[in-house]
């Protein structure tokens, strides 16, 4: 697959699959195209070449990808709605549940992410970590088999970030939800990701695919080694 | 340094051994001098640096290596400028066309199934754009009626035609000032808010989140705003007309010695169906334009908080410009049709 804008290729030779029930990470430095790739995976943009198949179906531009939930980097909670209304929106849109049934589901989803009792809070009253949790609750509202997460640890302190990783692991193991996580946080990658693909801005595509520990210990690509050892790529050449 | 550069020697050694400290700006200047001397053919070096001085020189030198040389931008020629502007205008026209298409499709879908319209959102927007705007609309239209009556009275009083102030205000307010003033307030108040709200939703990924949930932003965000403003602006215009006539009556009664009964009686003669109807048609067109322009700029927002500010400003400017164009077009059509 190749993706880009206005006829200019941003990433090409992207070829990977995610197994059911897996936690898969998309890695890369800033500007490597991780979030752009995610926009294509969730149907907000179409690839220039090739195709994306989710359970055999290609996402349609601007439409909901069936059986998928998305957590955006900022949480993207609707500011004019309470947390309960945010989580209830997908349920009210796609299920024939009554208001009472929706309220029960909303409560259970918020409890699942540790926000039980916060149904009537507005997003502006929450901390960054709580917004991410609420975003996850909304992403899980329709019990999707696959959840995409864009930089879930961004802007969080290490302790909150670790708690979020723990929550994601619980969701993956408990509900069997497949998780595709876009991140550059090494701690999160090693804590939860089973496999990962690494993107590079200069290479305009993936430069590694495999288990994070394998890539760290066995990769000979200086860019991969630099990423996992947190050194600026090409730093040795400059010194 | 200037002397060194003016008359460079073949070999220059900048000895900093006795320096105990150096700030980053001085280090940058020193390295710049060395580089300029080298560029002029001298063998220049900075030597003797130790401790903190060496560290800061290394830091400045290494950070300078990472900076790409700045390429002077060539100012575009006339042909290039015309080309760029044409491309920009074409892209904007395409965007507007695409936006209009999306709104028409959303409206057609909503007409087929009225339950697709988020009515709760429509009621809430009607309250915000209508009821909440009443005080400011009342104040402004009252003052417009008052000032217009004063302006008319100055001339008409000379001819002993004070009573015609009521005619002038009734016609002017219902056909022109009422719809226009209410639309200007709606643009500044509601249209700007639409652009800012949708712009903020756009940059905080809420619009993308809506799409991933399966909700199209056009029926969900744009249509309720068009409906709410389309319903409220004509109502506000009728109320504004009444308040402006009251402003005119205040001048007539207190300033021109007219009786309230005679003023209102003369006004009633001019409150014809066509005078009121043409004003209301205009106000509906203004409302739809304001809502669409506010939503268009909001959904096209790029670039964070700064982008929201830019989009809101552009939306208000476009709205005001459009109001004048629409007003002129309607006036010409009504004149041609003799109504």
């Amino acid at each position: 697959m190749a993706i880009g804008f206005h006829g200019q290729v941003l990433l090409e030779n992207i070829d990977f699959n995610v197994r059911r029930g897996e936690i898969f990470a998309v890695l890369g430095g800033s500007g490597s195209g991780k979030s752009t790739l995610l926009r294509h995976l969730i149907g907000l943009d179409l690839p220039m070449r090739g195709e994306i198949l989710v359970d055999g179906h290609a996402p349609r531009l601007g439409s909901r990808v069936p059986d998928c939930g998305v957590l955006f980097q900022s949480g993207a909670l609707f500011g004019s709605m309470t947390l309960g209304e945010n989580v209830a929106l997908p349920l009210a849109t796609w299920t024939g549940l009554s208001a009472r049934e929706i309220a029960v589901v909303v409560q259970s989803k918020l409890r699942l992410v540790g926000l039980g009792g916060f149904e009537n809070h507005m997003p502006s009253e929450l901390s960054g970590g709580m917004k991410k949790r609420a975003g996850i609750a909304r992403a899980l509202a329709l019990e999707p088999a696959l959840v995409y997460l864009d930089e879930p640890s961004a802007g969080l302190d290490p302790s909150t970030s670790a708690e979020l990783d723990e929550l994601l692991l619980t969701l993956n193991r408990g509900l069997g939800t497949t998780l595709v996580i876009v991140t550059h946080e090494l701690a999160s990658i090693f804590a939860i990701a089973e496999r990962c693909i690494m993107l590079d801005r200069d290479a305009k595509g993936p430069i590694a695919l495999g288990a994070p520990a394998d890539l760290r210990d066995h990769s000979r690509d200086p860019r991969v080694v630099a990423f996992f050892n947190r050194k600026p790529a090409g730093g040795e050449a400059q010194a | 340094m200037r002397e060194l550069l003016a008359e460079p020697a073949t070999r220059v050694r900048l000895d900093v051994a006795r320096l105990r400290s150096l700030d980053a700006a001085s280090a940058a200047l020193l390295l710049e001098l060395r580089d300029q001397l080298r560029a002029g053919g001298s063998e220049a070096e900075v030597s003797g640096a130790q401790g903190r001085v060496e560290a800061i020189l290394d830091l400045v030198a290494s950070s300078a290596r990472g900076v790409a040389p700045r390429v002077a931008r060539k100012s575009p020629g006339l042909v290039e400028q015309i080309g760029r502007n044409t491309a920009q205008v074409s892209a904007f026209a395409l965007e507007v066309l695409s936006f209009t298409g999306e709104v028409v499709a959303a409206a057609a879908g909503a007409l087929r199934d009225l339950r697709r319209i988020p009515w709760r959102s429509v009621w809430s927007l009607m309250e915000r754009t209508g009821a909440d705007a009443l005080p400011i609309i009342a104040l402004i239209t009252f003052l417009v009626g008052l000032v217009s009556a004063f302006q008319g009275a100055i001339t008409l009083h000379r001819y002993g035609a004070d009573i015609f102030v009521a005619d002038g205000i009734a016609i002017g307010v219902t056909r022109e000032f009422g719809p226009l003033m209410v639309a200007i307030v709606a643009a500044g108040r509601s249209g700007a808010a639409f652009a800012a709200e949708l712009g903020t939703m756009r940059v905080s990924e809420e619009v993308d989140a809506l799409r991933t949930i399966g909700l199209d932003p056009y029926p969900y965000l744009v249509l309720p705003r068009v409906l709410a403003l389309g319903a409220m602006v004509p109502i506000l215009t009728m109320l504004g007309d009444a308040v402006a006539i009251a402003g005119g009556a205040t001048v007539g009664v207190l300033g021109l010695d007219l009786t309230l009964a005679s003023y209102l009686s003369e006004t009633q003669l001019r409150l014809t169906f066509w005078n009121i109807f043409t004003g209301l048609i205009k106000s509906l067109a203004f409302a739809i334009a304001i809502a669409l322009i506010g939503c268009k700029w909001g959904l096209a927002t790029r670039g964070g908080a700064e982008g929201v500010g830019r989009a809101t400003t552009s939306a208000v400017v476009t709205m005001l410009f459009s109001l004048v164009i629409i007003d002129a077009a309607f006036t010409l059509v009504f004149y041609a049709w003799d109504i």
Side-chain angles (χ1 to χ4, degrees), chain B residues 128-165:
Chain B
R128 266 176 46 202
T129 56
D132 295 354
L134 259 179
I136 181 94
I137 295 277
L139 178 68
I140 287 180
T141 49
F142 183 81
L143 290 175
V144 166
L146 198 88
V147 171
S148 306
F150 266 124
Q151 298 290 351
I154 292 168
T155 308
L156 292 170
H157 189 64
R158 284 188 202 148
Y159 300 102
D162 291 356
I163 191 65
F164 290 117
V165 168

Side-chain angles (χ1 to χ4, degrees), chain A residues 44 62-64, chain B residues 206-218:
Chain A
L44 291 175
S63 300
R64 185 176 81 95
Chain B
E206 288 177 45
V207 175
D208 288 340
L210 268 183
R211 285 199 168 104
T212 59
I213 288 172
L215 289 168
D216 186 340
Y218 288 90

Side-chain angles (χ1 to χ4, degrees), chain A:
Chain A
M1 181 176 72
I3 60 175
F5 298 105
H6 309 302
Q8 284 197 323
V9 176
L10 181 69
L11 293 172
E12 55 191 347
N13 303 321
I14 306 166
D15 187 5
F16 67 94
N17 62 73
V18 180
R19 298 165 196 148
R20 195 176 289 272
E22 185 180 30
I23 301 184
F24 187 87
V26 178
L27 314 180
S30 299
S32 60
K34 304 186 297 291
S35 295
T36 307
L37 175 60
L38 180 70
R39 286 183 63 81
H40 287 73
L41 295 176
I42 60 179
L44 291 175
D45 288 308
L46 286 180
M48 294 172 78
R49 288 193 300 273
E51 64 180 355
I52 298 159
L53 292 176
V54 181
D55 213 10
H57 302 284
R60 281 173 47 216
L61 184 65
S63 300
R64 185 176 81 95
V65 182
D67 222 9
C68 287
V70 183
L71 170 69
F72 286 88
Q73 193 171 342
S74 60
L77 297 172
F78 304 119
S80 58
M81 296 180 185
T82 63
L83 281 203
E85 288 168 338
N86 264 283
V87 181
L89 188 61
L91 294 163
T93 309
W94 292 103
T95 68
L97 296 176
S98 67
R100 176 178 280 191
E101 288 165 336
I102 287 177
V104 172
V105 178
V106 167
Q107 275 179 7
S108 74
K109 297 295 173 194
L110 285 174
R111 252 189 255 128
L112 189 69
V113 298
L115 289 174
F118 282 82
E119 289 84 350
N120 295 319
H121 282 62
M122 297 302 286
S124 57
E125 297 167 339
L126 304 180
S127 68
M130 290 163 94
K131 282 181 187 165
K132 296 272 171 91
R133 282 170 178 273
I136 292 173
R138 189 178 66 188
L140 291 173
L142 293 169
E143 306 272 351
L146 166 63
V147 175
Y148 293 104
L149 301 106
D150 188 9
E151 307 269 8
S153 310
L156 302 183
D157 62 80
S159 149
T160 313
S161 177
E163 282 175 21
L164 199 66
D165 289 342
E166 198 62 39
L167 171 67
L168 295 176
L169 268 181
T170 309
L171 294 174
N172 172 255
R173 287 174 186 161
L175 302 175
T177 314
T178 307
L179 303 177
V180 174
I181 304 173
V182 168
T183 186
H184 57 244
E185 295 289 336
L186 281 179
S188 291
I189 294 163
F190 287 115
I192 60 174
E194 293 162 46
R195 287 191 310 139
C196 61
I197 187 169
M198 188 170 169
L199 306 177
D200 185 76
R201 181 171 50 184
D202 297 330
K204 284 191 173 182
I207 52 170
L209 177 66
D214 281 350
L215 295 181
R216 179 194 58 196
D217 298 337
H218 304 300
S219 177
R220 290 181 183 172
D221 188 318
R223 295 162 299 186
V224 179
V225 173
F227 182 84
F228 281 108
N229 292 295
R230 278 288 187 258
K231 284 179 188 164
E236 287 176 11
Q238 285 181 4

Side-chain angles (χ1 to χ4, degrees), chain B residues 176 179-181 183-184 187 282 285-286 289-290 293 316-332:
Chain B
E176 192 64 43
L180 199 57
M181 291 315 296
I184 288 170
K282 268 188 195 177
F286 290 157
I290 291 166
I293 292 167
V316 173
V317 171
T318 314
M319 282 171 208
L320 296 180
F321 181 71
S322 305
L323 291 182
V324 175
I325 300 283
I326 294 168
D327 190 33
F330 268 110
T331 305
L332 284 174

Side-chain angles (χ1 to χ4, degrees), chain B residues 117-129 219-220 223-229 231-232:
Chain B
I117 299 170
W119 290 108
R120 218 180 99 189
S121 177
V122 175
W123 302 136
S124 149
L125 283 160
M126 280 171 76
E127 186 185 339
R128 266 176 46 202
T129 56
Y220 196 77
L223 213 52
R225 283 164 171 79
V226 175
L227 286 175
L229 215 56
M232 294 319 293

